Amino acid sequence: MLTRRETFRLGAAALLVPALARIAPAADEPGFTLPKLPYANDALEPHIDTLTMETHHGKHHKTYVDNLNAALKPYPEWLKKTPAEVIANLKDVPEAIRMAVRNNGGGHFNHTAFWTMMAPAGKTGKASDDLAKAIDASFGSMDKFKAEFKDAGVKRFGSGWAWLVKGKEKPLAIVSSPNQDNPIMDGGLPPLLGVDVWEHAYYLKYKNLRAAYIDAWWNVVNWDVVSANYANAMK
Ligand code: MN
């Protein structure tokens, strides 16, 4: 026989269910969505070519989003989180889908950030005074920073990313990660700047010349966004 308390609970649940059904997304509705690019596919020409942008955003990034939604479909509570919340808590993701969520959740987060970190040449702003000082203090000069960052990207074996992050001993540090991993997965903060060194990011135009791609990529780095990311990290 049900106690009064149990009867009350069941009654409350019955009342809640129809309300939940109305606000819950339809079963086939994706939890994460492909963000629009903040510029046209051809806006980063000639440094990043149109076909690469179309493919990279419309196909590669979309696939990460679709695969992340498919992996998390049986766990709708995870679909309500932000991409950063998902990848910062991988140890809590069910083991059967953890690698899929790591790769595709990382892919979604990294690319979403990456698009904002670029802008058409001429609209790239400049490093804030605070960021410029932090770069000088950490690497010696902007040129030395760029050389070290490029080196991290070039030397990343296979596919991955190079990142600028808040440092421990110095204000800033450079790290790199394989696949779609990123500093958040290691318990760190969101990266301030990142360069995608997967071949899909450059092969159509630069073929095997990853260093040439990174040299050209500097022309479209959105320094206003990197400066804002730095200001946020310092809060
Ligand atoms: Mn990519």
Side-chain angles (χ1 to χ4, degrees):
M1 190 191 272
L2 296 173
T3 64
R4 250 174 67 177
R5 181 179 284 266
E6 282 164 342
T7 307
F8 174 77
R9 261 203 232 129
L10 286 174
L15 280 174
L16 278 170
V17 168
L20 283 173
R22 276 199 301 276
I23 58 167
D28 58 347
E29 202 173 293
F32 297 98
T33 51
L34 181 70
K36 283 207 170 90
L37 282 177
Y39 33 73
N41 277 316
D42 63 357
L44 306 183
E45 291 270 10
H47 310 292
I48 309 293
D49 63 288
T50 306
L51 184 56
T52 293
M53 286 303 298
E54 285 171 1
T55 313
H56 199 175
H57 174 256
K59 303 269 198 284
H60 289 278
H61 188 172
K62 183 175 187 301
T63 300
Y64 296 126
V65 172
D66 290 346
N67 288 345
L68 178 63
N69 285 326
L72 289 175
K73 195 172 174 182
Y75 309 96
E77 67 277 17
W78 284 92
L79 290 172
K80 294 176 195 150
K81 297 181 189 294
T82 65
E85 286 169 341
V86 171
I87 59 175
N89 294 288
L90 285 171
K91 64 179 189 335
D92 299 326
V93 172
E95 198 174 353
I97 58 161
R98 195 174 298 150
M99 187 53 80
V101 171
R102 182 183 195 105
N103 290 335
N104 294 290
H108 179 35
F109 177 89
N110 292 346
H111 288 84
T112 300
F114 185 53
W115 310 133
T116 72
M117 291 164 176
M118 297 186 287
K123 294 184 180 171
T124 54
K126 67 183 186 70
S128 66
D129 289 348
D130 285 349
L131 176 62
K133 274 183 209 159
I135 286 174
D136 287 348
S138 306
F139 308 106
S141 69
M142 179 60 95
D143 285 347
K144 285 179 180 166
F145 158 64
K146 286 184 174 178
E148 204 173 310
F149 193 84
K150 174 184 170 185
D151 199 48
V154 168
K155 286 186 177 157
R156 164 50 52 194
F157 185 77
S159 298
W161 295 74
W163 306 105
L164 177 68
V165 296
K166 189 178 174 183
K168 294 197 174 89
E169 282 122 41
K170 294 179 177 178
L172 298 168
I174 293 167
V175 296
S176 84
S177 52
N179 306 315
Q180 295 297 351
D181 287 2
N182 64 46
I184 297 178
M185 293 176 184
D186 300 323
L189 294 172
L192 312 177
L193 174 66
V195 65
D196 186 345
V197 296
W198 283 59
E199 284 185 345
H200 69 221
Y202 61 88
Y203 206 86
L204 293 176
K205 181 177 172 80
Y206 296 96
K207 301 298 185 284
N208 58 316
L209 302 177
R210 187 187 287 184
Y213 152 67
I214 298 175
D215 284 341
W217 173 80
W218 287 117
N219 291 295
V220 293
V221 169
N222 189 334
W223 287 105
D224 287 340
V225 165
V226 184
S227 300
N229 291 344
Y230 177 69
N232 280 332
M234 291 299 119
K235 275 178 190 162

